[in-house]
């Protein structure tokens, strides 16, 4: 696969995430930002934990996985450096913490056992998206565990932001895996735990779920109370589906890509999330 050349990753950030970031900083100032020395301490502590009880993936240990990881990391042309670790767990999960261009990425063994290399590229790309968009700046887990100390308005903005941040990260995932299919099958496996289902069935199922959600939003009222939980899987699917053609064109340097069209997609997905945030 040809490596995409992207000059400006920031331009791929989901527009709604950007506007939430602005609102959070306007209202809360620098309060929710993680303190510099605190972040450094967390990065070091996490690395020590990983070196102690996880396994670092090297080219010798897992050549294919390591190649996929290097491919994704090289998209950023040396802007970030870090290691990939694996830990035993059947749960399909991965996580990253980054500070000042340094990060460590942890992937659960369930993903390595059950995901294809292209699906892994989506997962790794998604995590590196969190690095590139500096999502570790907001200590969302700590903030949410001390919710009572935070004004409710800021807490709800932070929750909305953390959901929107997933859409931004997915776009880097898409860039790394190079197409809609592995992105969608990875999302499906993560959500359902099921393997071996044909992509056409997966697309039909996600589309159906998204359409029901959209109908509910347009109709409003109590019948659609389930939407209050922010059903992120259908929304992330729709955002991926809509952005895929553009991002693939961008990857290939093809003339089909236009930022104007990309912003229109942004606005449509923002409308759905904003309607749920109201
Ligand atoms: Zn994420």
């Amino acid at each position: 696969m040809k490596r995409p050349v992207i000059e400006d990753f920031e331009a791929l950030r989901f527009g709604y995430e950007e506007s939430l970031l602005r609102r959070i900083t306007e209202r809360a100032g620098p309060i929710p930002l993680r303190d510099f020395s605190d972040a450094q301490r967390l990065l070091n502590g996490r690395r020590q934990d990983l070196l102690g009880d996880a396994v670092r993936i090297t080219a010798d240990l897992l050549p294919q996985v390591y190649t996929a990881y290097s491919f994704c990391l090289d998209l950023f042309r040396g802007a970030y450096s870090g290691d990939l670790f694996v830990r035993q767990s059947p749960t399909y999960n991965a996580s990253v913490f980054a500070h000042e261009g340094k990060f460590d990425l942890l992937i659960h063994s369930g993903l390595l056992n059950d995901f294809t290399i292209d699906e892994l590229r989506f997962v790794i790309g998604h995590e590196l998206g969190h690095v590139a968009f500096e999502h570790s700046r907001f200590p969302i887990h700590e903030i949410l565990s001390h919710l009572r100390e935070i004004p409710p308005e800021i807490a709800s903005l932070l929750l909305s932001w953390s959901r929107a941040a997933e859409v931004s990260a997915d776009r880097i995932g898409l860039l790394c895996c190079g197409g809609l299919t592995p992105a969608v099958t990875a999302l499906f496996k993560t959500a359902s735990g099921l393997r071996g289902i044909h992509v056409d069935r997966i697309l039909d199922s996600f589309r159906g779920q998204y359409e029901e959600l959209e109908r509910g939003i347009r109709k409003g009222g109590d019948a659609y109370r389930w939407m209050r939980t922010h059903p992120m899987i259908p929304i992330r699917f729709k955002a991926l589906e809509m952005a895929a053609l553009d991002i693939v064109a961008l990857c290939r340097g093809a003339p089909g890509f236009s930022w104007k069209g990309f912003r229109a997609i942004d606005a449509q997905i923002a409308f759905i999330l904003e309607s749920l945030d109201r």
Side-chain angles (χ1 to χ4, degrees):
M1 189 171 127
K2 199 179 146 211
R3 183 171 290 123
V5 178
I6 308 295
E7 297 300 334
D8 183 12
F9 285 95
E10 189 51 40
L12 287 174
R13 193 192 291 267
F14 178 32
Y16 185 48
E17 190 212 330
E18 209 177 302
S19 78
L20 285 164
L21 276 176
R22 256 198 316 274
R23 277 159 68 193
I24 292 168
T25 354
E26 269 165 28
R27 281 171 219 197
I31 301 161
L33 290 177
R34 202 191 289 275
D35 175 70
F36 187 90
S37 58
D38 187 36
Q40 189 62 54
R41 192 178 47 75
L42 274 166
L43 185 77
N44 295 343
R46 187 177 141 96
R47 184 165 180 86
Q48 278 166 21
D49 287 348
L50 290 171
L51 284 167
D53 60 21
V55 173
R56 181 161 45 196
I57 296 178
T58 60
D60 281 341
L61 185 68
L62 288 170
Q64 267 196 312
V65 175
Y66 191 79
T67 304
Y69 169 67
S70 305
F71 176 91
C72 298
L73 189 56
D74 287 352
L75 294 184
F76 301 97
R77 285 183 266 175
Y80 311 108
S81 63
D83 284 320
L84 176 65
F85 289 86
V86 58
R87 180 179 277 156
Q88 191 285 119
S89 170
T91 313
Y92 294 157
N93 206 358
S95 62
V96 76
F97 183 79
H99 177 61
E100 293 283 289
K102 297 234 171 0
F103 70 88
D104 282 303
L105 203 166
L106 173 68
I107 195 160
H108 285 179
S109 56
L111 288 167
L112 296 188
N113 290 329
D114 299 341
F115 280 40
T116 65
I117 285 293
D118 284 344
E119 289 165 348
L120 284 175
R121 278 205 229 204
F122 173 73
V123 174
I124 293 168
H126 174 101
E127 295 305 321
L128 292 178
H130 285 311
V131 176
F133 294 126
E134 297 188 316
H135 289 155
S136 300
R137 281 192 311 153
F138 291 94
I140 191 78
H141 295 295
E142 288 95 319
I143 289 171
L144 296 180
S145 58
H146 299 95
L147 263 185
R148 264 172 296 171
E149 294 160 30
I150 295 175
E153 188 206 8
I154 306 290
S156 111
L157 278 174
L158 280 165
L159 273 172
S160 301
W161 164 77
S162 75
R163 288 186 284 257
E166 294 304 303
V167 174
S168 297
D170 278 348
R171 291 177 174 178
I172 307 297
L174 207 45
L175 205 57
C176 289
C177 72
L180 181 65
T181 299
V184 163
T185 51
L187 193 66
F188 179 82
K189 281 181 180 174
T190 308
S192 70
L194 302 174
R195 288 182 283 155
I197 297 185
H198 194 274
V199 65
D200 289 344
R201 288 177 193 270
I202 293 175
L203 288 169
D204 281 350
S205 143
F206 273 157
R207 281 184 188 129
Q209 236 163 295
Y210 177 79
E211 279 159 19
E212 188 169 339
L213 171 73
E214 205 181 22
R215 261 199 309 278
I217 288 171
R218 302 208 183 272
K219 214 168 175 183
D222 268 4
Y224 292 93
R225 211 181 270 270
W226 62 275
M227 294 184 326
R228 288 272 157 246
T229 59
H230 291 79
M232 280 311 290
I233 292 294
I235 294 172
R236 283 176 65 187
F237 159 72
K238 191 65 187 176
L240 279 170
E241 190 184 40
M242 290 178 78
L245 280 180
D246 273 322
I247 288 185
V248 171
L250 191 66
C251 282
R252 296 185 180 146
F257 182 82
S258 97
W259 282 112
K260 206 172 153 221
F262 197 70
R263 290 288 154 243
I265 288 169
D266 240 44
Q268 277 191 60
I269 299 299
F271 165 77
I272 298 295
L273 270 175
E274 254 181 312
S275 312
L276 297 174
D277 284 341
R278 263 184 223 124

